Amino acid sequence: MTSRTCSSVVSRLTLTLACTLAVVAGPSVQTRIVADKNKYTPADDVKLGREAAAQVRKEMPLVRDGAVDEWVQSVGRRLANAIPPEFQHKEFNYTFEVVNQKEINAFALPGGPMFLNRGMIEAAKSEAEVAGVMGHEISHVALRHGTAQATKGQKFQLGAILGQVAGAVVGGTAGAIIAQGSQFGLGTYFLKYSREYESQADLLGAQMLARAGYNPREMANMFKTLEGEGGSRQPEFMSDHPNPGNRYNAINKEADSLRVQGSYATGQFESIHSRLSGMSPALTAEQIAANNKNNRRSGGGSSSAPARTVRVEPPTAQARTYQPAQFLRVSVPANWQQRQSSDVVTYAPEGGYTADSSGRTSFTHGLQVGVAQGGTGNLERDTAALLQGFARSNPGLRSAGSRRESLGGRDGLTTILNNTSDATGQPESIAVSTTQLKDGHMLFLVGVAPASESAVYEDAFSRVRRSLQIRD
Ligand SMILES: [Zn+2]
């Protein structure tokens, strides 16, 4: 590595001094990033991101402040201009908005829309630290990680992938955006990128930072700050962008190979910070979810009444078998119908769906099957991450305990949770069962029923779990 650096330096006639420096700095060749294969077009990314962004703008409170907006735009534009030519897509449009949310997080949607939580900016110690997070996010977009991951997940596709990505991105990242039963399962699959993608975003981000005139080491510092933040509870950003391992050192090592081009800063960071601290406090995810819930209840458009009593036939003892995916067979009560939606397959009886006032459909009775990213390979830990994802879009969710229970003939875990149904406002009981697939993903079943009917439904869910056949 070192000798390669030297010879290339020598060939440019810079001679031994640079060569010595390279040796001192250790192996210092900038990492070459190669984008994964992707069966979607850049236009698909744009469409997904645009739809998801529209939803984000509808449901998340934005900081609409001229000075803050202008500042975040200028940092963002500077970074977007530093994207290497091979990862520039003419269809993409990078936009930058600040969400008035307290939790430390930021996310970017396919095709370019980026949202930064106010809490993230407030936690940063310098503009370069904010730029570090933004560079990381832009890299996910430029490398098209959302659809690349969908391309890989094809084998376990349970529904239309495109809907899946859009739903997942919104449901998972923005937390409170979709607070309804039918969105169970969306959270972690696409939002939580693989370690490999996290590492790519760190390295490409560091390279872009250097090109833009920011010190890439500040990105490493920001991640260090984030990891230390919040004690036992990790900031949301860290669970959406898990540490690929040795993150701090890896970024600093990459920084060794990079020449920071100039020293850029807008010079506005301090004034933006004091501007933000002068505003009324940012909202928590929970507050945002509650506001959205109230808005929906109070009707924004009273096209459909929110709460209602629907008579739903209890699950029949007789079963019907389905094959929702090539590798999977499942038997459910014969009076449940299969519905293949975004990223999950739902089995529900007639009347088991309810539309809330904003026209979204939730399911109140029945069961969903989906596949989530595994991550650690440890069933307990991966299940905890999945449930954390659910809890983000269902802030009232509480665990009532879990037990080992085999699923499809392999090790499984069943967790019982209590929730308040977004559609009916009534308590509901939820059973989440998980097991690992051979490729590292996790199969999950989510049974939902009103608490008052939980006994009869828990019996039906347990029959479904026992019927499961997995051939992966
Ligand atoms: Zn990331």
Side-chain angles (χ1 to χ4, degrees):
M1 280 277 209
T2 305
S3 65
R4 227 169 82 206
T5 307
C6 286
S7 65
S8 77
V9 171
V10 171
S11 72
R12 276 188 268 123
L13 301 174
T14 333
L15 292 179
T16 46
L17 177 62
C19 200
T20 313
L21 284 177
V23 171
V24 170
S28 50
V29 177
Q30 176 176 333
T31 308
R32 201 170 86 85
I33 310 275
V34 180
D36 241 342
K37 67 173 190 297
N38 195 317
K39 70 188 192 91
Y40 300 94
T41 64
D44 288 333
D45 284 50
V46 170
K47 184 167 177 287
L48 289 172
R50 191 183 292 145
E51 285 165 8
Q55 185 123 25
V56 173
R57 292 188 191 105
K58 216 167 94 186
E59 308 236 357
M60 300 306 279
L62 297 176
V63 173
R64 296 189 190 283
D65 177 277
V68 174
D69 274 344
E70 210 171 289
W71 170 73
V72 77
Q73 298 293 338
S74 54
V75 176
R77 266 198 311 270
R78 179 115 191 148
L79 291 166
N81 288 335
I83 299 171
E86 65 268 34
F87 303 129
Q88 279 175 16
H89 304 285
K90 60 181 189 314
E91 298 89 341
F92 285 15
N93 181 24
Y94 291 90
T95 57
F96 310 92
E97 287 159 89
V98 179
V99 179
N100 193 24
Q101 187 175 338
K102 190 166 178 260
E103 283 80 9
I104 297 172
N105 205 1
F107 59 96
L109 301 168
M114 185 190 297
F115 296 87
L116 284 131
N117 280 6
R118 183 178 149 192
M120 161 70 77
I121 298 170
E122 288 177 322
K125 295 191 196 79
S126 68
E127 179 172 297
E129 288 197 356
V130 176
V133 169
M134 292 172 82
H136 176 98
E137 295 292 336
I138 290 178
S139 300
H140 278 309
V141 175
L143 294 165
R144 305 182 56 216
H145 281 161
T147 44
Q149 199 148 296
T151 302
K152 277 189 180 167
Q154 192 62 8
K155 189 181 165 201
F156 295 119
Q157 179 183 1
L158 289 172
I161 279 287
L162 289 186
Q164 192 168 5
V165 176
V169 165
V170 174
T173 3
I177 289 178
I178 298 175
Q180 58 170 7
S182 66
Q183 294 302 333
F184 270 113
L186 289 174
T188 36
Y189 194 13
F190 284 102
L191 216 92
K192 202 165 171 184
Y193 295 114
S194 64
R195 278 155 195 271
E196 183 200 342
Y197 286 178
E198 282 310 314
S199 160
Q200 273 196 343
D202 285 352
L203 299 181
L204 183 61
Q207 294 170 7
M208 281 166 40
L209 245 62
R211 286 175 68 145
Y214 290 111
N215 186 346
R217 289 169 208 280
E218 299 265 2
M219 179 197 228
N221 292 343
M222 182 69 184
F223 283 129
K224 198 160 220 179
T225 304
L226 292 182
E227 278 178 344
E229 197 74 37
S232 59
R233 235 191 113 230
Q234 267 199 331
E236 200 146 305
F237 184 85
M238 297 314 293
S239 59
D240 289 346
H241 302 273
N243 188 336
N246 213 10
R247 174 171 249 163
Y248 180 80
N249 292 334
I251 296 171
N252 277 320
K253 187 166 165 248
E254 186 70 14
D256 289 344
S257 74
L258 300 169
R259 196 169 60 82
V260 183
Q261 303 191 0
S263 168
Y264 180 78
T266 61
Q268 291 164 37
F269 181 72
E270 302 301 329
S271 73
I272 292 299
H273 248 213
S274 58
R275 209 176 167 86
L276 289 174
S277 61
M279 296 177 185
S280 56
L283 303 176
T284 63
E286 204 151 337
Q287 287 169 325
I288 295 168
N291 288 348
N292 284 338
K293 213 173 219 179
N294 288 339
N295 290 343
R296 261 178 250 150
R297 287 243 168 81
S298 65
S302 50
S303 49
S304 59
R308 79 197 68 182
T309 44
V310 184
R311 186 167 281 286
V312 179
E313 236 184 81
T316 56
Q318 197 191 6
R320 187 184 295 165
T321 302
Y322 291 92
Q323 186 166 9
Q326 276 214 330
F327 70 101
L328 197 65
R329 288 170 78 85
V330 62
S331 300
V332 302
N335 65 333
W336 292 3
Q337 279 91 45
Q338 174 174 281
R339 244 203 220 190
Q340 196 121 16
S341 70
S342 55
D343 73 332
V344 286
V345 180
T346 308
Y347 299 95
E350 201 173 326
Y353 293 92
T354 304
D356 66 21
S357 56
S358 62
R360 288 217 195 86
T361 310
S362 298
F363 88 114
T364 53
H365 300 68
L367 185 131
Q368 284 187 334
V369 183
V371 174
Q373 179 132 30
T376 71
N378 174 307
L379 185 61
E380 260 95 7
R381 232 177 299 158
D382 290 347
T383 302
L386 181 76
L387 295 178
Q388 214 177 3
F390 291 167
R392 262 187 245 157
S393 41
N394 299 269
L397 200 68
R398 297 286 174 270
S399 170
S402 60
R403 58 174 187 266
R404 284 272 171 189
E405 186 189 292
S406 79
L407 198 63
R410 55 186 80 182
D411 273 351
L413 197 65
T414 291
T415 307
I416 305 295
L417 303 123
N418 298 315
N419 192 33
T420 303
S421 164
D422 224 35
T424 65
Q426 298 300 310
E428 63 185 359
S429 177
I430 295 167
V432 178
S433 300
T434 48
T435 191
Q436 259 147 353
L437 296 171
K438 283 193 186 131
D439 74 340
H441 283 86
M442 196 166 60
L443 180 78
F444 64 85
L445 268 60
V446 179
V448 177
S452 57
E453 297 165 62
S454 65
V456 58
Y457 275 88
E458 181 41 47
D459 188 50
F461 298 154
S462 145
R463 274 181 279 137
V464 175
R465 290 197 287 268
R466 286 198 303 270
S467 79
L468 209 65
Q469 291 176 34
I470 308 170
R471 308 238 179 287
D472 57 335

